[in-house]
Short mmCIF file of all heavy atoms in Angstrom, two decimals:
data_model
loop_
_atom_site.label_atom_id
_atom_site.label_comp_id
_atom_site.label_asym_id
_atom_site.label_seq_id
_atom_site.Cartn_x
_atom_site.Cartn_y
_atom_site.Cartn_z
N GLU A 79 -46.15 7.66 22.84
CA GLU A 79 -47.45 8.26 23.27
C GLU A 79 -47.77 9.29 22.25
O GLU A 79 -47.01 10.08 21.64
CB GLU A 79 -47.21 8.90 24.60
CG GLU A 79 -47.06 7.85 25.67
CD GLU A 79 -46.99 8.50 27.09
OE1 GLU A 79 -47.69 9.50 27.32
OE2 GLU A 79 -46.24 7.94 27.94
N GLU A 80 -49.10 9.37 22.02
CA GLU A 80 -49.67 10.35 21.05
C GLU A 80 -51.12 10.72 21.59
O GLU A 80 -51.93 9.69 21.73
CB GLU A 80 -49.74 9.80 19.70
CG GLU A 80 -50.27 10.81 18.61
CD GLU A 80 -50.23 10.25 17.23
OE1 GLU A 80 -49.19 9.64 16.88
OE2 GLU A 80 -51.25 10.40 16.51
N ASN A 81 -51.50 11.95 21.75
CA ASN A 81 -52.80 12.29 22.27
C ASN A 81 -53.25 11.50 23.55
O ASN A 81 -54.32 10.99 23.58
CB ASN A 81 -53.82 12.10 21.10
CG ASN A 81 -53.52 12.98 19.88
OD1 ASN A 81 -53.00 14.00 20.02
ND2 ASN A 81 -53.78 12.37 18.78
N ASP A 82 -52.31 11.46 24.48
CA ASP A 82 -52.65 10.78 25.74
C ASP A 82 -52.88 9.27 25.52
O ASP A 82 -53.50 8.66 26.45
CB ASP A 82 -53.84 11.44 26.40
CG ASP A 82 -53.51 12.83 26.88
OD1 ASP A 82 -52.32 13.14 27.21
OD2 ASP A 82 -54.44 13.63 26.94
N GLU A 83 -52.53 8.69 24.47
CA GLU A 83 -52.63 7.23 24.21
C GLU A 83 -51.21 6.71 24.11
O GLU A 83 -50.35 7.30 23.56
CB GLU A 83 -53.40 6.93 22.90
CG GLU A 83 -54.82 7.39 22.96
CD GLU A 83 -55.73 6.40 23.73
OE1 GLU A 83 -55.41 5.20 23.80
OE2 GLU A 83 -56.73 6.84 24.30
N ALA A 84 -51.00 5.44 24.70
CA ALA A 84 -49.72 4.79 24.61
C ALA A 84 -49.85 3.67 23.53
O ALA A 84 -50.75 2.97 23.44
CB ALA A 84 -49.34 4.23 25.95
N TYR A 85 -48.72 3.52 22.73
CA TYR A 85 -48.69 2.50 21.72
C TYR A 85 -47.36 1.74 21.88
O TYR A 85 -46.35 2.30 22.21
CB TYR A 85 -48.73 3.12 20.38
CG TYR A 85 -49.95 3.93 20.05
CD1 TYR A 85 -50.07 5.27 20.31
CD2 TYR A 85 -51.08 3.28 19.53
CE1 TYR A 85 -51.27 6.01 20.20
CE2 TYR A 85 -52.31 4.03 19.34
CZ TYR A 85 -52.34 5.35 19.60
OH TYR A 85 -53.45 6.05 19.39
N LEU A 86 -47.42 0.46 21.57
CA LEU A 86 -46.23 -0.34 21.44
C LEU A 86 -45.78 -0.41 19.94
O LEU A 86 -46.51 -0.77 19.15
CB LEU A 86 -46.50 -1.71 21.96
CG LEU A 86 -46.94 -1.83 23.41
CD1 LEU A 86 -47.26 -3.24 23.84
CD2 LEU A 86 -45.88 -1.24 24.36
N VAL A 87 -44.50 -0.06 19.77
CA VAL A 87 -43.91 0.05 18.40
C VAL A 87 -42.71 -0.90 18.31
O VAL A 87 -41.91 -0.95 19.22
CB VAL A 87 -43.60 1.46 18.10
CG1 VAL A 87 -42.99 1.63 16.74
CG2 VAL A 87 -44.84 2.40 18.29
N THR A 88 -42.51 -1.49 17.18
CA THR A 88 -41.40 -2.33 16.96
C THR A 88 -40.16 -1.45 16.83
O THR A 88 -40.20 -0.28 16.48
CB THR A 88 -41.46 -3.15 15.65
OG1 THR A 88 -41.66 -2.28 14.59
CG2 THR A 88 -42.55 -4.19 15.76
N ILE A 89 -38.96 -1.95 17.28
CA ILE A 89 -37.76 -1.30 17.25
C ILE A 89 -37.06 -1.67 15.96
O ILE A 89 -36.64 -2.81 15.74
CB ILE A 89 -36.88 -1.63 18.46
CG1 ILE A 89 -37.57 -1.24 19.72
CG2 ILE A 89 -35.50 -0.86 18.38
CD1 ILE A 89 -36.95 -1.78 20.94
N GLU A 90 -36.95 -0.72 14.99
CA GLU A 90 -36.37 -0.94 13.68
C GLU A 90 -34.85 -0.64 13.55
O GLU A 90 -34.11 -1.34 12.85
CB GLU A 90 -37.14 -0.09 12.58
CG GLU A 90 -38.61 -0.39 12.56
CD GLU A 90 -38.93 -1.80 12.06
OE1 GLU A 90 -38.11 -2.49 11.41
OE2 GLU A 90 -40.10 -2.26 12.39
N ASP A 91 -34.45 0.33 14.40
CA ASP A 91 -33.03 0.76 14.39
C ASP A 91 -32.08 -0.25 15.13
O ASP A 91 -32.34 -0.49 16.29
CB ASP A 91 -32.89 2.14 15.02
CG ASP A 91 -31.57 2.71 14.95
OD1 ASP A 91 -31.10 3.09 13.90
OD2 ASP A 91 -30.92 2.70 15.97
N ASP A 92 -31.11 -0.77 14.38
CA ASP A 92 -30.23 -1.77 14.98
C ASP A 92 -29.48 -1.25 16.22
O ASP A 92 -29.21 -1.94 17.16
CB ASP A 92 -29.21 -2.19 13.94
CG ASP A 92 -29.84 -3.13 12.86
OD1 ASP A 92 -30.99 -3.69 13.15
OD2 ASP A 92 -29.28 -3.23 11.77
N GLU A 93 -29.02 0.01 16.09
CA GLU A 93 -28.30 0.63 17.29
C GLU A 93 -29.20 0.71 18.45
O GLU A 93 -28.78 0.40 19.61
CB GLU A 93 -27.73 1.95 16.88
CG GLU A 93 -26.83 2.63 17.95
CD GLU A 93 -26.31 3.98 17.55
OE1 GLU A 93 -25.93 4.08 16.34
OE2 GLU A 93 -26.36 4.93 18.31
N GLU A 94 -30.43 1.15 18.32
CA GLU A 94 -31.36 1.26 19.41
C GLU A 94 -31.66 -0.10 19.99
O GLU A 94 -31.69 -0.34 21.22
CB GLU A 94 -32.66 1.96 18.97
CG GLU A 94 -33.70 2.02 20.01
CD GLU A 94 -34.99 2.63 19.58
OE1 GLU A 94 -35.24 2.73 18.30
OE2 GLU A 94 -35.92 2.90 20.37
N TRP A 95 -31.92 -1.14 19.08
CA TRP A 95 -32.16 -2.52 19.46
C TRP A 95 -31.01 -3.02 20.33
O TRP A 95 -31.24 -3.53 21.43
CB TRP A 95 -32.41 -3.34 18.37
CG TRP A 95 -32.59 -4.80 18.72
CD1 TRP A 95 -31.66 -5.83 18.54
CD2 TRP A 95 -33.75 -5.41 19.32
NE1 TRP A 95 -32.17 -6.98 19.01
CE2 TRP A 95 -33.43 -6.74 19.50
CE3 TRP A 95 -34.92 -4.87 19.75
CZ2 TRP A 95 -34.38 -7.68 20.14
CZ3 TRP A 95 -35.90 -5.76 20.32
CH2 TRP A 95 -35.58 -7.12 20.52
N ASP A 96 -29.75 -2.88 19.82
CA ASP A 96 -28.63 -3.40 20.63
C ASP A 96 -28.47 -2.69 21.99
O ASP A 96 -28.24 -3.38 22.95
CB ASP A 96 -27.37 -3.10 19.87
CG ASP A 96 -27.31 -4.02 18.54
OD1 ASP A 96 -28.01 -5.02 18.48
OD2 ASP A 96 -26.46 -3.72 17.63
#
Side-chain angles (χ1 to χ4, degrees):
E79 294 186 30
E80 182 178 316
N81 301 326
D82 296 327
E83 294 283 331
Y85 299 92
L86 299 177
V87 179
T88 58
I89 301 169
E90 302 293 340
D91 181 75
D92 290 338
E93 184 177 318
E94 178 184 13
W95 176 255
D96 292 341

